[in-house]
């Protein structure tokens, strides 16, 4: 097997998985900019804060660190929105709604 170049071979299973993940990622980005905007979900996220999160929030307020508080709340909202968008995009892909 002279001059065999593995870069020229194809792995169709990997390609299909990569394509599926790209489609899901594109849908996640679309949902994050429309349906699941983190700024729109802050109140919902605050309602779901654990005791630890509430303690961290209280620490920020006691230290009068409003920038830290805002960043903490936004990042929690972003993580929540991403999780929701990921679930929705995966469900849509599984149901065949995404091509």
């Amino acid at each position: 097997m002279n001059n065999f170049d593995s870069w020229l071979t194809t792995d169709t299973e990997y390609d299909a998985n990569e394509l599926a993940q790209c489609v899901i990622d594109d849908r996640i980005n679309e949902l994050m900019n429309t349906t699941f905007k983190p700024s729109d979900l802050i109140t919902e996220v605050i309602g779901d804060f654990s005791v630890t999160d509430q303690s961290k929030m209280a620490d920020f307020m006691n230290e009068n660190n409003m920038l830290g508080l805002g960043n903490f709340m936004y990042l929690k909202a972003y993580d929540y929105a991403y999780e929701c968008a990921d679930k929705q995009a995966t469900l849509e892909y599984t149901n065949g709604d995404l091509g």
Side-chain angles (χ1 to χ4, degrees), residues 25-37:
D25 288 343
D26 289 344
R27 182 65 176 147
I28 289 171
N29 288 333
E30 182 181 328
L31 288 170
M32 291 287 290
N33 290 322
T34 56
T35 309
F36 298 112
K37 287 184 180 178

Side-chain angles (χ1 to χ4, degrees), residues 1-10:
M1 215 192 282
N2 290 338
N3 300 326
F4 177 75
D5 192 352
S6 63
W7 288 99
L8 299 177
T9 62
T10 59

Side-chain angles (χ1 to χ4, degrees), residues 18-63:
E18 184 71 21
L19 178 63
Q21 191 58 47
C22 285
V23 169
I24 290 172
D25 288 343
D26 289 344
R27 182 65 176 147
I28 289 171
N29 288 333
E30 182 181 328
L31 288 170
M32 291 287 290
N33 290 322
T34 56
T35 309
F36 298 112
K37 287 184 180 178
S39 57
D40 295 342
L41 298 174
I42 286 181
T43 54
E44 186 174 338
V45 170
I46 290 173
D48 291 340
F49 271 1
S50 66
V51 173
T52 305
D53 293 335
Q54 291 175 8
S55 174
K56 288 179 184 176
M57 201 164 93
D59 289 342
F60 283 121
M61 286 192 269
N62 289 336
E63 295 169 2

